[in-house]
Amino acid sequence: MNKIAYLYVFDTMADWEIGYLTAELNSGRYFKKGANKYTVRTVGLTSEPLVTMGGVRIIPDISLGICTSDNAGVLLLPGGDTWLDPIHGPVMEKAKEFLHADILVAAICGATLCLAQAGLLNDREHTSNDLDYMKAVIPGYTGGSLYRHEPAVADRKLITASGIAPLEFTHMVLQELDVFSPQALEAWYKLYRTHDAEYFYALMGSLQN
């Protein structure tokens, strides 16, 4: 089955935080047999061009208003400098819609702050960049007891991650989507984590099974 990985794009988006993930989802190069195929589709608040933190100019494939949960596999929310701005309110409504439809939502770095602001982290285990900072900037946040000091956390179709953990974020999303075999996922993660060539050969070997 073909699924869509919706990538929310906006001015100041942190390009590098989702690079590992979008490359693997869109290419499917290490997917196990029978896994859903994914197409990455960028979605903006409007269809107007925007510029990422890295200076990359992007024209969104679609606007948020016509993004639906039909055939969606995941909604990806990268970090950026503007997540505490009310402008992102509509994408939080979209995140709620996706979660209600049992579709994975994955947020990293600053995007977790907006989730907290929307009340989506008050009853789920989660992480972010720093608990004290989250408490300081999100007055309505009451999920402190569920905060986990880990690189990435998954709970009921919602993944959150620290901005310094794009690799762990990718690992957890790939695991939740169940597109790699366990052997391939472990080898892939260790290859990028350790830079040891033995895991490249382990990854290639896992694809023969």
Side-chain angles (χ1 to χ4, degrees):
M1 181 182 297
N2 292 319
K3 294 278 191 177
I4 300 171
Y6 284 111
L7 172 62
Y8 178 58
V9 293
F10 54 96
D11 284 318
T12 79
M13 183 186 83
D15 319 49
W16 66 94
E17 292 178 351
I18 41 78
Y20 288 116
L21 182 54
T22 53
E24 298 306 345
L25 287 179
N26 202 61
S27 71
R29 56 184 176 167
Y30 303 133
F31 280 20
K32 64 184 180 181
K33 292 179 181 177
N36 290 326
K37 304 299 182 184
Y38 278 83
T39 298
V40 175
R41 187 166 294 172
T42 55
V43 53
L45 288 172
T46 71
S47 58
E48 292 298 310
L50 52 92
V51 179
T52 71
M53 195 179 295
V56 177
R57 183 180 172 87
I58 295 177
I59 299 176
D61 294 321
I62 61 171
S63 64
L64 191 62
I66 59 174
C67 173
T68 72
S69 58
D70 295 341
N71 213 34
V74 61
L75 173 63
L76 304 174
L77 305 176
D81 288 343
T82 61
W83 272 111
L84 293 179
D85 192 310
I87 194 173
H88 297 294
V91 80
M92 287 298 103
E93 293 304 312
K94 188 62 62 176
K96 292 176 183 178
E97 176 189 325
F98 274 41
L99 290 170
H100 183 72
D102 205 33
I103 296 168
L104 185 66
V105 174
I108 184 169
C109 196
T112 62
L113 298 176
C114 202
L115 290 174
Q117 204 169 46
L120 290 170
L121 302 185
N122 290 335
D123 63 351
R124 282 182 168 86
E125 292 187 358
H126 60 277
T127 193
S128 183
N129 294 330
D130 181 72
L131 175 57
D132 289 338
Y133 181 75
M134 182 174 280
K135 288 179 176 178
V137 299
I138 311 295
Y141 171 65
T142 61
S145 64
L146 295 173
Y147 188 95
R148 302 293 177 254
H149 296 277
E150 299 174 13
V153 173
D155 188 2
R156 288 178 292 140
K157 292 293 184 177
L158 182 62
I159 290 175
T160 50
S162 163
I164 57 173
L167 190 57
E168 291 81 1
F169 176 66
T170 299
H171 179 271
M172 189 163 283
V173 173
L174 293 174
Q175 185 175 51
E176 288 288 316
L177 293 178
D178 192 28
V179 289
F180 281 25
S181 71
Q183 297 84 357
L185 185 59
E186 181 72 3
W188 180 92
Y189 178 69
K190 287 185 175 179
L191 173 62
Y192 285 98
R193 190 71 179 171
T194 69
H195 314 142
D196 192 324
E198 74 169 280
Y199 295 112
F200 171 78
Y201 295 109
L203 177 57
M204 293 303 102
S206 73
L207 302 180
Q208 306 306 314
N209 298 331

